Amino acid sequence: MLSHPLGRSVLACVTLATYGIATTVVTVNGSASHITPRLLYGQMFEDINSGDGGIYAEMLQNRAFQQVTPNTTAALYAWNTINGAGINVIADPSPVSSALPNSLQLTIPEGASGSIGFGNEGYYGIQINSGWTYNASFYYKFPVTSSFEGAATIALQSAEGQVYASASVSLIGSQTTWNKVAVHLKPTLSPMSTANNFTVTLNAAEAAGETIDFAMFSLFPPTFKGRANGLRIDIATTLYEMKPSFFRLPGGNNLGGTWATRWQWNATVGPLVDRPGRMGDWGYINTDGLGLLEYMYLCEDMEMEPIMAVWAGYSLDGESLPDDALDPYIQQATDQINFVIGDPTVNEYAALRASLGHPEPFPLTYVEIGNEDFFASDSYIYRWKYFAGNLTAAFPQLRFIATTYPFDPILDPVPLQYDNHVYQTPGWFIENAFYYDSFERNGTYYFQGEYAAISLNVSDVFGDGRLMYPTIESSIGEAAYMTGLERNSDIVFAASYAPLLMNVANYQWTPNLIAFDASEVYPSTSYYVQQLFSVNRGTEYLPSTVPTYNGTLYWSVTHDSSASTVLIKVVNVDSTSAPMTFNLPFEVASAGFATVLTGPPTASNSPTTPNAIVPITSPMTFSKSFNFTAPAYSVTVLTTQFV
């Protein structure tokens, strides 16, 4: 990442000797230097075992047999047979849709007895809650006409067979075209274990010798804000409580590992049976049930704005399309944007959005062209030219973000926004708390689209020394860096920790902001840092004495004009507490609060210690000049009001 001389003076930190202990004195200027950007803090999403089986509330894994090879054992992952039934994934000669060519074929052997059928184990478990009503559905048909008429039992049950909820549907042998059935399941108990199954069974004696095809299964619990095909409540609520202002989607590298498997917006909208899914870039199949419209509803329901990426001719396998082959993909990006913001009376893709229930355009300001194109900067020179040039002409009201290193290479048209990514050690983030101070104020703005302290040793940043979960040490380092983001928020318009979510049962990247399993959510220490900064960001940045470069204390002062509050963030990266004196240029109320996140440097929140480190809020007395002692290894938000 390239920096540029700022050409402005930096005030040194002032300390006073008090009883042999150095007291840091911070003098605050009463005149705001700049408005805090409205999108300063948000979330970067990438489906790394965190969309399907994570924030997307669908509970059945491999629900539609997408992108699998028929007649293989692998095609049956997450499914199991019950009482000797025959099950196989077939290439259906008459599929439920052209997008879903495969179906599950059930064969009931002659001479069988008892309940017989199949089950799905969910995404590493299924949470069963007696306070919920579940919506279950599937399609079925008989491949040849049969005289059979009988009941199928749809159930939620333990791995040992204890039934918690069940409902019956009639299956009719003369039904040789696809028919959808749906039931509500209301459990009678809430088992502690998530080792449960969704099952479909028949009376073997009645159904002996029958063959039945099934397709497009679904099991949904209640969702966030009741949205159909929506979000898992506990994960979505945890994200919402960060008070994010933006959501970066459809996510970093998952934009496209190869040309053939790239994310294509038009394959992710409309009825679920019309979504083929794709092999994601992290080695597993994406159902695309969480598609472009669902992303927009996610933003709407969480009261934030999308920062949306378009595929720009480069894939992670190293393939860059030549400049004379880009036109169809520029058109696809144009159509994607029109789906989000277009006028349905004049644009067919905006009309598609309207037909799906949202006639009004969604808010959209920023569009990212590609992802991490510093890996292919030579081809990005022409790809940026054609994508940015054409999209800017079509949507002059939007702002387009480049994804190479700032000013390296030189691009035409000149980008007005760049996306920076950095994964490093806590020490690096502390040392680079002044990273953006040296950038020129030349009309260019920066999106810190991905960042995290992922290792304690620089030689192991992408090696075996990776952190499993964020620690106090890593989170405090990030917090020191974030004070620099606030100080430089005249040019840093947005920032998001990455990655966002981690399924502890199956993951490819560590650490992550929030961990989860089939029933619980585990906010990390870095989550609480992000939350403290986001919830307490203020509307204006107030200059103050500048922290010492590579020191142990870092701070940022903002003013929230809507609430008439002063918000002071203090980060102490040292192993000892540090006395401070704050001199304010205005009178403040004597009563206020201090919210502190602190703990041993190696402490972390995990499934075994989920609440080891959480912020604690206590009352505090303020005055125009007041003293504060920053605890060792801490992030503190001091809050008081103007008088």
Side-chain angles (χ1 to χ4, degrees), residues 65 69-71 75 88-93 101-105 141 143 213:
F65 315 103
T69 302
N71 301 305
N88 185 36
V89 175
I90 65 167
D92 203 298
N102 301 321
S103 64
L104 179 70
Q105 189 162 84
K141 68 175 174 62
D213 296 338

Side-chain angles (χ1 to χ4, degrees), residues 250-515:
N253 290 333
N254 208 37
L255 196 61
T258 69
W259 172 85
T261 63
R262 71 193 187 281
W263 185 85
Q264 299 186 67
W265 75 271
N266 48 305
T268 75
V269 299
L272 295 178
V273 294
D274 293 332
R275 304 186 194 186
R278 57 185 280 266
M279 178 57 71
D281 300 341
W282 294 92
Y284 63 94
I285 294 163
N286 292 181
T287 69
D288 285 333
L290 183 62
L292 181 56
L293 184 60
E294 285 76 24
Y295 282 131
M296 293 301 115
Y297 280 136
L298 181 156
C299 293
E300 186 173 278
D301 291 343
M302 291 199 188
E303 302 162 29
M304 56 182 169
E305 183 176 315
I307 293 180
M308 184 176 71
V310 297
W311 191 77
Y314 165 72
S315 301
L316 285 175
D317 62 358
E319 179 184 13
S320 290
L321 296 181
D323 55 358
D324 60 359
L326 295 179
D327 285 352
Y329 309 101
I330 294 171
Q331 185 61 53
Q332 191 171 34
T334 302
D335 298 341
Q336 178 182 335
I337 296 170
N338 269 317
F339 178 84
V340 174
I341 66 171
D343 181 349
T345 65
V346 298
N347 181 269
E348 64 176 303
Y349 301 104
L352 173 60
R353 180 195 72 234
S355 73
L356 296 173
H358 203 283
E360 296 300 317
F362 290 98
L364 183 67
T365 303
Y366 293 98
V367 173
E368 193 160 21
I369 296 179
N371 173 70
E372 292 188 344
D373 281 278
F374 46 76
F375 287 123
S377 57
D378 288 347
S379 71
Y380 198 65
I381 294 173
Y382 66 79
R383 290 186 292 107
W384 167 265
K385 176 180 179 180
Y386 290 118
F387 272 87
N390 283 280
L391 294 177
T392 299
F395 306 100
Q397 75 277 28
L398 298 182
R399 301 174 187 175
F400 295 94
I401 305 171
T403 67
T404 55
Y405 296 124
F407 308 106
D408 180 17
I410 301 300
L411 300 174
D412 178 30
V414 176
L416 297 182
Q417 291 83 212
Y418 280 98
D419 180 3
N420 278 338
H421 295 179
V422 60
Y423 295 97
Q424 262 292 347
T425 64
W428 185 95
F429 283 104
I430 294 168
E431 292 168 7
N432 285 273
F434 292 87
Y435 178 79
Y436 287 101
D437 289 63
S438 62
F439 277 43
E440 289 182 359
R441 271 55 182 173
N442 61 1
T444 308
Y445 296 89
Y446 302 92
F447 173 30
Q448 189 70 64
E450 299 183 24
Y451 69 100
I454 63 175
S455 172
L456 302 182
N457 187 324
V458 67
S459 63
D460 284 332
V461 167
F462 292 102
D464 296 334
R466 294 281 287 275
L467 295 170
M468 182 66 179
Y469 301 101
T471 64
I472 280 290
E473 183 176 2
S474 67
S475 302
I476 296 302
E478 293 156 4
Y481 186 74
M482 292 171 72
T483 64
L485 298 181
E486 289 204 349
R487 185 172 58 254
N488 291 283
S489 58
D490 58 324
I491 60 170
V492 178
F493 70 90
S496 49
Y497 180 104
L500 185 62
L501 297 170
M502 169 190 177
N503 189 327
V504 298
N506 187 16
Y507 54 88
Q508 288 79 29
W509 179 283
T510 65
N512 298 262
L513 196 64
I514 299 166

Side-chain angles (χ1 to χ4, degrees), residues 54 93 137 189 307:
S137 63
L189 295 172
I307 293 180

Side-chain angles (χ1 to χ4, degrees), residues 106-284:
L106 168 68
T107 303
I108 310 296
E110 297 284 357
S113 62
S115 294
I116 192 168
F118 51 83
N120 185 289
E121 64 189 27
Y123 286 94
Y124 322 107
I126 294 176
Q127 182 184 15
I128 296 177
N129 187 322
S130 62
W132 293 352
T133 297
Y134 297 74
N135 295 318
S137 63
F138 58 76
Y139 290 80
Y140 85 93
K141 68 175 174 62
F142 284 72
V144 295
T145 300
S146 166
S147 61
F148 176 80
E149 287 191 21
T153 299
I154 303 171
L156 297 176
Q157 62 183 58
S158 71
E160 293 75 29
Q162 180 179 356
V163 176
Y164 300 113
S166 67
S168 294
V169 296
S170 295
L171 303 187
I172 302 172
S174 59
Q175 184 71 51
T176 56
T177 58
W178 290 103
N179 182 50
K180 183 178 181 179
V181 297
V183 298
H184 299 305
L185 298 173
K186 178 68 173 174
T188 56
L189 295 172
S190 298
M192 294 293 293
S193 174
T194 59
N196 304 307
N197 287 274
F198 166 86
T199 62
V200 178
T201 57
L202 292 87
N203 183 309
E206 295 178 357
E210 297 292 342
T211 298
I212 311 172
D213 296 338
F214 296 85
M216 192 59 234
F217 293 86
S218 183
L219 177 67
F220 263 87
T223 59
F224 184 70
K225 295 192 175 181
R227 179 73 65 181
N229 196 47
L231 308 179
R232 181 172 145 176
I233 290 175
D234 54 353
I235 295 178
T237 299
T238 303
L239 297 182
Y240 181 69
E241 289 174 348
M242 276 179 61
K243 299 301 179 188
S245 292
F246 71 86
F247 196 77
R248 179 175 171 235
L249 61 94
N253 290 333
N254 208 37
L255 196 61
T258 69
W259 172 85
T261 63
R262 71 193 187 281
W263 185 85
Q264 299 186 67
W265 75 271
N266 48 305
T268 75
V269 299
L272 295 178
V273 294
D274 293 332
R275 304 186 194 186
R278 57 185 280 266
M279 178 57 71
D281 300 341
W282 294 92
Y284 63 94

